[in-house]
Amino acid sequence: FNLQQYFNEYEDFEIDIAQAQAVTDNILISARFSSDGGATFISSGYDRNRSGSSNDVELSDNVESDTYMYLAPANMGGLVDGGKDEALHGVVNIIGASDPNIRTTFCGHVMGRGSGNTGILATVGSMRNADEIHTDIQIYPASGNFESGRFILYGKRKVA
């Protein structure tokens, strides 16, 4: 998504995720920012954490200065088993992308299904400590592409 084209109207953003499923099962789904209009995507300096639980899966970790941000808080095999009925759903917010003086934050909740067919609600959060504007965001599976799903970008209007 190109965020910069909306900076005059919107201060923050929300991405709604519905029925997102990667072509390949058991892979991580991640996100990265760009500061050059999407020509390249930054692969360092992300502080991230994840947490969530159900009857069959516990998720929790904190990582400093990593190469990506979590979207799915575990591999598709940990959050969901793969398979058509086990797609990823959720809402994530992007806060501060247009302001080089604050950390850009990426946070929200995602829902999937664990190996015991139990729903897992997980909280994901990452921030990038940089004195730059983040013009674009890329959401990608670790291997292949997305087979199905919707990623809808909403702007959150600035208040004067």
Side-chain angles (χ1 to χ4, degrees):
F1 290 108
N2 177 283
L3 305 175
Q4 188 173 23
Q5 65 182 324
Y6 304 112
F7 284 168
N8 288 335
E9 292 181 61
Y10 303 111
E11 185 171 36
D12 298 318
F13 300 91
E14 177 180 294
I15 299 175
D16 288 0
I17 304 156
Q19 292 293 116
Q21 184 177 21
V23 171
T24 307
D25 287 344
N26 301 318
I27 59 163
L28 184 70
I29 297 179
S30 306
R32 296 183 294 193
F33 288 117
S34 173
S35 60
D36 62 8
T40 60
F41 287 86
I42 302 162
S43 59
S44 65
Y46 297 103
D47 295 341
R48 68 174 199 259
N49 73 34
R50 61 184 175 169
S51 65
S53 64
S54 73
N55 292 340
D56 59 339
V57 176
E58 283 290 330
L59 305 170
S60 182
D61 72 1
N62 289 291
V63 179
E64 291 184 13
S65 195
D66 208 349
T67 58
Y68 58 89
M69 301 176 289
Y70 284 119
L71 181 56
N75 285 353
M76 292 294 278
L79 176 66
V80 295
D81 291 329
K84 304 279 187 228
D85 60 334
E86 295 159 344
L88 187 68
H89 305 271
V91 175
V92 292
N93 291 285
I94 302 168
I95 302 163
S98 65
D99 188 343
N101 299 310
I102 63 173
R103 298 174 179 171
T104 301
T105 303
F106 176 83
C107 60
H109 293 90
V110 293
M111 182 74 188
R113 195 178 328 192
S115 59
N117 232 9
T118 306
I120 300 171
L121 176 64
T123 301
V124 294
S126 298
M127 57 178 57
R128 174 138 171 82
N129 300 324
D131 56 355
E132 61 197 10
I133 292 172
H134 294 117
T135 59
D136 298 76
I137 187 168
Q138 176 188 49
I139 297 171
Y140 62 98
S143 174
N145 208 336
F146 287 103
E147 180 176 338
S148 62
R150 291 188 322 254
F151 294 85
I152 303 169
L153 178 69
Y154 294 97
K156 295 185 176 184
R157 198 165 295 283
K158 293 180 179 181
V159 178

